[in-house]
Amino acid sequence: HEREHDREISELAAKHSEEMEKLRAELQEEQRHLLDELQQQMAAIHRAEHEQAQLQSQTLHSLELEALRLTLNNMHTSQLELTQSNLRKEKETALMELREMLNDKRAQEVAILQSRHQLEWEKIKEQCLKEKEDL
């Protein structure tokens, strides 16, 4: 009876060991499956985060380029305005110089004409006096 009891205990222990091994194997398989699934999810999350970071980087880059374009446009506009202002001042200066030169030339011509007029007047006056004397 005792031997039979020992044999049953041995069988139960062996059965128990087999079931434990089977459960361990199933548990390891489930763990591997869960680990694979987790790795896939992590990879998907990593790809999504990478894409989002890339999109944000592209958006930031686009915004920086737009800001640079606007800054360059503003600088160009300012430069054009400054150039126009300088050209306007140069034109005004040139016009003033030309006006002064023309006024000087006119004054010289007026002086020359006045002296000619004076000489002719004196000639006519002398002629008149000569004609009076002759008469």
Side-chain angles (χ1 to χ4, degrees):
H1 186 65
E2 207 172 289
R3 267 185 268 164
E4 193 177 310
H5 187 266
D6 284 344
R7 187 182 54 79
E8 284 179 3
I9 289 178
S10 281
E11 285 177 8
L12 283 175
K15 200 174 187 183
H16 178 71
S17 281
E18 273 181 37
E19 286 182 21
M20 288 299 288
E21 282 301 316
K22 186 179 173 185
L23 286 174
R24 274 192 198 111
E26 287 176 10
L27 183 60
Q28 283 179 346
E29 183 61 31
E30 191 175 333
Q31 283 178 337
R32 249 185 304 223
H33 177 71
L34 289 174
L35 185 61
D36 287 345
E37 203 174 286
L38 184 60
Q39 284 176 338
Q40 288 174 359
Q41 288 176 353
M42 291 294 287
I45 289 170
H46 180 71
R47 279 192 303 274
E49 286 175 348
H50 182 70
E51 288 171 6
Q52 185 178 7
Q54 227 175 3
L55 182 62
Q56 285 176 345
S57 176
Q58 287 173 350
T59 303
L60 183 62
H61 184 68
S62 295
L63 289 174
E64 287 173 347
L65 284 177
E66 182 64 16
L68 285 173
R69 187 190 66 76
L70 289 173
T71 301
L72 184 61
N73 194 20
N74 288 341
M75 288 172 61
H76 183 67
T77 302
S78 297
Q79 187 66 35
L80 283 176
E81 288 172 354
L82 182 63
T83 303
Q84 284 178 337
S85 175
N86 288 340
L87 287 174
R88 196 176 306 114
K89 286 178 185 175
E90 288 176 13
K91 180 181 168 186
E92 289 172 3
T93 302
L95 283 173
M96 283 176 45
E97 289 174 0
L98 183 61
R99 188 175 290 126
E100 286 176 10
M101 189 176 77
L102 288 174
N103 283 340
D104 288 346
K105 188 174 180 179
R106 185 174 168 263
Q108 287 175 355
E109 288 175 358
V110 167
I112 290 171
L113 286 174
Q114 282 179 343
S115 76
R116 279 187 194 160
H117 179 71
Q118 186 67 31
L119 284 174
E120 285 180 25
W121 174 253
E122 287 179 12
K123 278 184 187 178
I124 292 172
K125 200 173 167 183
E126 283 178 22
Q127 266 185 342
C128 276
L129 284 175
K130 197 176 189 184
E131 286 178 11
K132 274 186 186 179
E133 283 178 15
D134 285 345
L135 286 173

